[in-house]
């Protein structure tokens, strides 16, 4: 069925058209104008100056994620600090106000650098990372004299070493070594640190005495995960964000002795937990605690204080992505986004809950009714496990089994079936949530519905669910994709003759796996930086990524047969749907070889897959112009195969 593949020059022709646009600074497409939401500004990773008057954050308003500063009270225009051409991923303000630390990623790749610079942009210096290495930013010492950083090397054994680094001199003190190490916090007196280490799904916490180098493991469970840890202001407690001893991640507290040591035999107690929701984030300031809960994909924010009832605070949008207190504890800085709201930063008064937008200062230019709000749908896996996902309806209405009266799962809605795309998220320990998704919105505008399921292995549904796809259980996750497709068909939501599948990173892997395991279900596919061969993925990815991933996929030595059986590359003769492959040339997380071998294998069979390479991107597409190109190309590929010419609305 190789005649089903379209001409391999499809993408090259379209890209040539785009590059020929007369105004390079403002992309102009020959077919139709750019939708406003494709090139809108995103602001993330906000960090406050100690006096609460200034805000440092990451914005892509100039086309790439860069470091910006603005005043919280307004009156002054935001200004950009020059950190060079690299993408900025993280930023943190030192407690004494003298330094900013940033995580810089050349071309958005994995060989990152941690740099420190003065808030006026002067004095930039590298603290960790660089070519052949990766740096990670951790917490600051409370007095601002040192910052926790982590460094891994391509020549190492896949582990990371955590340090306390003095920015003014570059002096390093080694804290701990282990897979994916991160410095979570320092005690108020600076004598102790807590460092998170471990492979994916098994991340533990180490207590470190900085003067003696003595280390102690805090939690006994081998398969628990610690997401974060923070010392109380007086240093007599350690707050833990963990799923240790429970199904859902919660906030625990561990007492500490007056000398800063651990109390033997004392187990952590629960500060806050929910039976049906995971703790996403928490922040501390004095006795106040802000907790952000993931409740079926939506965020709920609450304020906690010992001896008092919790107080619910408003969420600026459907999903809260970051949370921190001002130093005086009078307000929270929240990062948030939703289906109609690009990533932005607001402050929320405590406890009043009054919201004020900080960056970008102006809300988006479109009306909320111009974009689709997805609705949650539930369906059942082949083995009876309950699954869910988000339904984007081109008609802009809340249609589906969960919203049509008298219509339960797998029962017909009575509505016309539509051309539909399954979109599969990465991770796999990520979660599809009602966030800002220009690709979904552009597909809906073109007349194609999107269903974004959370198959087993996704986060947000408890410890058992996120581990339900480990090793040989991954075959069940692949089957979940087919069950999602059959659910859409059985309910009459999706036209069975016009159903596509697409995904990014692990979602790209699932896309390839679904296309070879269930070729009869899908008419078209898009693989965005997905793994095709788990053996070559382990061989060529960064060693610190490979080491951390063995708990999810298997060990490349002990589990070689399993990895081979799970790899779509060995079953490509079953792939009959037209496939577009998208990849960044600087991607060393899922290396470019994964895309190259798929394209080569299909061409050797006489097929003609589409190929879209971004020479200046890594594992994610950060550049605004590249994001526009990506969305437009993917939408054109999918609509060319799912819609008749007279049905296309974009």
């Amino acid at each position: 069925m190789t005649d089903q593949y379209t001409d391999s020059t499809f993408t090259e022709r379209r890209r040539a058209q785009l590059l020929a646009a007369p105004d390079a600074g403002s992309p102009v497409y020959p077919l139709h104008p750019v939708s406003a939401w494709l090139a809108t500004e995103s602001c993330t990773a906000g960090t406050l100056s100690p006096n609460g008057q200034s805000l440092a954050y990451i914005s892509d308003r100039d086309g790439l994620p860069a470091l910006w500063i603005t005043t919280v009270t307004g009156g002054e225009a935001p200004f950009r600090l020059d950190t060079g051409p690299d993408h900025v991923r993280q930023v943190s303000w030192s407690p004494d106000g003298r330094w900013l630390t940033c995580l810089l990623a050349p071309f958005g790749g994995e060989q990152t650098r941690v740099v420190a610079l003065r808030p006026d942009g002067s004095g930039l210096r590298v603290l960790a990372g660089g070519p052949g290495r990766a740096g990670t930013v951790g917490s600051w010492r409370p007095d601002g004299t040192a910052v926790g950083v982590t460094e891994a090397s391509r020549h190492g054994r896949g582990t990371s070493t955590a340090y306390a680094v003095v920015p003014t001199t570059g002096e390093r003190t080694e804290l701990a070594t282990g897979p994916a190490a991160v410095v979570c916090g320092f005690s108020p007196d600076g004598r102790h640190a807590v460092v998170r280490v471990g492979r994916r799904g098994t991340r533990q916490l180490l207590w470190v005495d900085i003067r003696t180098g003595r280390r102690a493991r805090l939690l006994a469970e081998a398969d628990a995960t610690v997401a974060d840890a923070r010392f109380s202001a007086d240093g007599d407690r350690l707050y833990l964000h963990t799923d240790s001893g429970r199904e859902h991640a919660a906030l625990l507290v561990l007492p500490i002795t007056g000398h800063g040591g651990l109390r033997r035999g004392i187990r952590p107690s629960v500060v806050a937990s929910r039976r049906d929701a995971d703790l996403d984030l928490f922040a501390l300031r004095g006795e106040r605690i802000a907790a952000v809960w993931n409740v079926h994909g939506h965020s709920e924010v609450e304020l906690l204080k010992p001896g008092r009832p919790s107080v619910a605070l408003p969420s600026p949008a459907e999903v809260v992505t970051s949370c921190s207190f001002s130093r005086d504890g009078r307000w929270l800085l929240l990062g948030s986004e939703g289906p109609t709201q690009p990533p932005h930063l607001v402050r929320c008064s405590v406890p009043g809950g009054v919201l004020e937008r900080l960056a970008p200062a102006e809300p988006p230019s479109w009306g909320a009714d111009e974009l689709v709000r997805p609705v949650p749908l539930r369906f059942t896996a082949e083995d009876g496990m309950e699954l869910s996902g988000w339904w984007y309806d081109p008609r802009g209405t809340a249609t589906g089994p969960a919203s049509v009266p008298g219509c339960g799962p797998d029962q017909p809605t009575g509505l016309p079936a539509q051309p539909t795309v399954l979109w599969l998220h990465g991770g796999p320990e990520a979660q599809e949530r009602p966030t800002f998704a220009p690709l979904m919105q552009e597909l809906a505008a073109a007349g194609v519905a999107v269903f974004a399921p959370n198959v087993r292995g996704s986060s947000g549904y408890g410890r058992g669910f996120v581990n339900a796809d480990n090793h040989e259980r991954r075959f069940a996750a692949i089957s979940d994709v087919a069950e999602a497709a059959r659910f859409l068909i059985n309910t009459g939501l999706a036209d069975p003759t016009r159903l596509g599948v697409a995904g990014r990173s692990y979602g790209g892997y699932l896309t390839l796996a679904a296309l070879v395991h269930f070729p009869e279900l899908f008419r078209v596919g898009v693989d965005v930086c997905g793994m095709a061969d788990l053996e070559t993925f382990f061989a060529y990815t960064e060693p610190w990524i490979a080491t951390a991933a063995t708990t999810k996929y298997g060990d490349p030595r002990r589990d070689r047969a399993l990895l081979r059986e799970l790899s779509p590359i060995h079953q490509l003769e079953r792939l009959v749907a037209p496939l577009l492959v998208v990849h960044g040339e600087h991607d060393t997380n899922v290396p470019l070889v994964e895309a190259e071998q798929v394209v080569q294998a299909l061409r050797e069979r006489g097929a003609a897959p589409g190929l879209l390479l971004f020479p200046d991107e890594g594992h994610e597409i950060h550049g605004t112009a590249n994001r526009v190109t990506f969305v437009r190309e993917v939408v054109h590929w999918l609509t060319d195969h799912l819609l008749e010419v007279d049905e296309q609305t974009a």
Side-chain angles (χ1 to χ4, degrees):
M1 299 180 65
T2 55
D3 58 329
Q4 289 191 12
Y5 288 90
T6 61
D7 185 351
S8 64
T9 61
F10 168 84
T11 300
E12 285 79 357
R13 287 202 311 270
R14 284 280 301 129
R15 187 162 189 168
Q17 287 178 313
L18 302 180
L19 294 176
D23 182 3
S26 178
V28 178
Y29 290 80
L31 298 182
H32 46 272
V34 175
S35 301
W37 52 81
L38 288 184
T40 189
E41 180 183 5
S42 292
C43 295
T44 59
T47 179
L48 291 165
S49 61
N51 62 12
Q53 299 300 305
S54 298
L55 170 68
Y57 61 99
I58 299 171
S59 169
D60 58 3
R61 65 187 299 175
D62 284 351
L64 290 174
L67 175 60
W68 289 75
I69 292 183
T70 189
T71 55
V72 171
T73 55
E76 296 182 19
F79 61 94
R80 176 178 171 177
L81 296 187
D82 184 9
T83 58
D86 298 340
H87 300 187
V88 181
R89 284 191 182 167
Q90 292 175 258
V91 58
S92 176
W93 214 308
S94 67
D96 60 6
R98 300 176 61 197
W99 293 98
L100 289 166
T101 52
C102 294
L103 185 67
L104 304 183
F107 297 104
E110 304 304 320
Q111 296 181 28
T112 53
R113 293 180 298 145
V114 178
V115 302
L117 69 161
R118 300 295 187 182
D120 63 1
S122 64
L124 188 147
R125 60 202 61 189
V126 178
L127 303 184
R133 295 172 292 165
T136 304
V137 183
S139 294
W140 282 90
R141 269 185 56 154
D143 61 5
T145 58
V147 63
V149 303
T150 304
E151 187 172 78
S153 171
R154 299 202 77 180
H155 305 294
R157 297 183 177 181
T159 60
S160 307
T161 302
Y163 303 93
V165 180
V166 179
T168 53
T169 64
E171 178 187 356
R172 290 182 171 191
T173 300
E174 183 174 334
L175 301 177
T177 297
V182 175
V183 181
C184 293
F186 292 90
S187 60
D189 59 10
R191 294 172 55 186
H192 300 92
V194 283
V195 179
R196 191 191 73 183
V197 296
R199 293 170 169 82
R200 289 157 62 176
T202 62
R203 286 173 173 158
Q204 299 294 303
L205 201 64
L206 295 179
W207 171 276
V208 182
D209 186 313
I210 298 176
R211 291 184 301 177
T212 66
R214 186 175 65 88
R215 302 172 182 89
R217 184 168 155 180
L218 292 186
L219 299 175
E221 274 185 286
D223 60 346
T225 288
V226 176
D228 200 2
R230 291 284 186 271
F231 285 90
S232 62
D234 54 14
D236 66 355
R237 287 155 291 162
L238 184 65
Y239 289 92
L240 309 173
H241 176 186
T242 179
D243 61 9
S244 177
R246 60 200 59 254
E247 177 61 21
H248 290 279
L251 184 63
L252 310 184
V253 64
L254 185 67
I256 300 170
T257 69
H259 301 290
L262 297 175
R263 295 179 179 176
R264 293 185 179 182
I266 300 295
R267 296 181 58 83
S269 57
V270 177
V271 176
S273 66
R274 294 195 181 185
R275 290 186 176 183
D276 61 346
D278 282 344
L279 180 67
D280 248 359
L281 306 162
F282 81 99
L284 295 174
R285 179 59 61 188
E287 292 295 307
R288 283 178 169 170
I289 304 170
V292 180
W293 300 95
N294 180 343
V295 184
H296 307 297
H298 284 85
S299 293
E300 293 184 6
V301 185
E302 67 177 356
L303 187 65
L304 308 172
K305 197 170 183 179
R308 297 185 184 181
S310 63
V311 176
L313 296 175
S315 296
E318 282 81 350
V319 178
V320 172
T321 56
S322 61
C323 175
S324 59
F325 277 101
S326 61
R327 174 166 281 190
D328 59 13
R330 296 173 59 186
W331 52 278
L332 284 169
L333 175 65
L334 301 174
S336 64
E337 60 179 295
T340 67
Q341 290 279 339
H344 59 286
L345 299 165
V346 302
R347 66 174 177 176
C348 176
S349 63
V350 175
V354 177
L355 300 176
E356 180 184 353
R357 190 181 186 95
L358 297 180
E362 298 298 325
S365 59
W366 56 82
D369 58 350
E370 294 182 45
L371 285 83
V372 175
R373 290 185 181 273
V375 295
L377 300 180
R378 297 186 305 276
F379 63 104
T380 304
E382 191 174 32
D383 60 0
M385 180 176 285
E386 185 175 291
L387 305 174
S388 64
W390 295 91
W391 173 252
Y392 293 77
D393 195 300
R395 294 164 292 209
T397 56
T399 57
S403 54
V404 176
C407 184
D410 296 326
Q411 294 179 349
T413 64
L415 299 167
Q418 302 176 86
T420 303
V421 171
L422 284 181
W423 174 261
L424 306 170
H425 66 69
E429 315 95 312
Q431 183 187 12
E432 196 64 51
R433 304 179 71 176
T435 54
F436 189 65
L439 175 60
M440 277 72 147
Q441 299 293 346
E442 198 74 2
L443 281 167
V448 176
V450 180
F451 185 54
N454 283 306
V455 300
R456 71 191 68 203
S458 304
S459 60
Y461 304 96
R463 183 169 165 181
F465 193 87
V466 78
N467 291 323
D469 67 337
N470 290 353
H471 295 208
E472 68 280 351
R473 287 173 284 181
R474 194 153 313 283
F475 292 109
I478 297 170
S479 294
D480 288 348
V481 180
E483 289 306 309
R486 294 181 184 121
F487 160 74
L488 296 175
I489 294 169
N490 293 341
T491 53
L493 291 172
D495 182 341
T497 67
R498 295 189 294 177
L499 184 61
V501 61
R504 181 193 157 274
S505 191
Y506 174 75
Y509 161 80
L510 272 187
T511 294
L512 294 174
L515 289 172
V516 301
H517 282 277
F518 309 101
E520 73 283 358
L521 287 176
F522 302 106
R523 183 172 172 179
V524 63
V526 180
D527 159 31
V528 185
C529 63
M531 303 97 79
D533 185 339
L534 292 176
E535 291 180 277
T536 56
F537 163 72
F538 273 109
Y540 295 108
T541 189
E542 302 289 7
W544 54 88
I545 294 176
T547 296
T550 56
T551 46
K552 297 301 296 182
Y553 302 117
D555 187 278
R557 293 179 296 275
R558 294 193 304 268
D559 303 312
R560 184 176 179 183
L562 173 64
L563 295 180
R564 183 176 181 84
E565 190 177 1
L566 284 167
S567 297
I569 192 71
H570 302 300
Q571 302 180 64
L572 281 187
E573 71 280 357
R574 292 174 52 81
L575 196 155
V576 295
L579 179 68
L580 173 63
V581 179
V582 183
H583 222 98
E585 293 188 20
H586 291 272
D587 189 350
T588 58
N589 183 327
V590 177
L592 184 58
V593 65
E594 298 301 303
E596 292 173 333
Q597 59 187 324
V598 170
V599 172
Q600 180 180 348
L602 291 175
R603 286 176 176 172
E604 288 174 353
R605 291 179 48 239
L611 178 62
L612 177 60
L613 295 179
F614 289 96
D616 52 353
E617 297 283 3
H619 192 53
E620 297 189 39
I621 302 171
H622 287 296
T624 301
N626 288 337
R627 288 204 314 268
V628 172
T629 301
F630 165 73
V631 171
R632 285 301 196 216
E633 292 303 291
V634 171
V635 170
H636 275 281
W637 181 269
L638 292 171
T639 55
D640 272 10
H641 294 93
L642 296 178
L643 298 180
E644 302 298 333
V645 174
D646 59 358
E647 290 182 285
Q648 297 186 23
T649 60

